[in-house]
Amino acid sequence: QVQLVESGGGSVQAGGSLRLSCSVSGYTIGRNFMAWFRQAPGKEREGVSCLYTGGRSVYYSDSVKSRFTISQDLAKNMVYLQMDSLKPEDTAIYYCAASSGPSFTGHWSSPGIYDYWGQGTQVTVSS
């Protein structure tokens, strides 16, 4: 059974930083896509960042580019999201997602291309 568990969320003031972690069990990453999504109250789930665990492909949404950094640790089977220069509009529940294979049809930010999801971790940024 594949499980994704996020951690590292919390409350921070604007301009601060947080590092989210996603621990994957039941599946060995290395030839699939891992992504971070977020969902704010009343809004649709939004793709934040994605990486291909078997190569160097990395994607970011325009809203977080240059502030967030996605990374992985294959030895630990984990993916991270370093979030710097946080803004109040970054407040949301952040979800980790994984595809089951090395390819997909569509855009990386489409939730439907991911097969596994974590339960989410809350990030709150105050002004």
Side-chain angles (χ1 to χ4, degrees):
Q1 182 181 0
V2 179
Q3 287 190 317
L4 280 63
V5 179
E6 303 95 337
S7 61
S11 297
V12 64
Q13 289 192 326
S17 299
L18 284 173
R19 187 193 192 207
L20 304 183
S21 299
C22 174
S23 176
V24 182
S25 61
Y27 180 86
T28 301
I29 66 174
R31 291 196 68 207
N32 71 314
F33 288 86
M34 296 293 299
W36 288 94
F37 284 76
R38 66 186 182 187
Q39 189 165 19
K43 295 188 176 182
E44 293 186 353
R45 193 166 294 193
E46 172 193 19
V48 174
S49 183
C50 169
L51 66 76
Y52 176 59
T53 59
R56 297 188 175 185
S57 297
V58 177
Y59 310 92
Y60 296 98
S61 66
D62 289 342
S63 60
V64 307
K65 200 174 296 183
S66 79
R67 299 189 298 121
F68 290 10
T69 304
I70 191 170
S71 63
Q72 64 182 3
D73 186 330
L74 295 181
K76 294 182 178 180
N77 221 40
M78 293 186 69
V79 175
Y80 306 95
L81 185 69
Q82 177 67 40
M83 305 186 296
D84 298 318
S85 302
L86 283 162
K87 304 175 181 180
E89 50 264 43
D90 295 319
T91 295
I93 299 174
Y94 283 71
Y95 298 91
C96 179
S99 73
S100 58
S103 63
F104 60 80
T105 301
H107 197 272
W108 68 266
S109 62
S110 299
I113 69 171
Y114 298 94
D115 302 288
Y116 310 107
W117 291 82
Q119 81 291 347
T121 185
Q122 177 70 46
V123 171
T124 303
V125 184
S126 58
S127 57

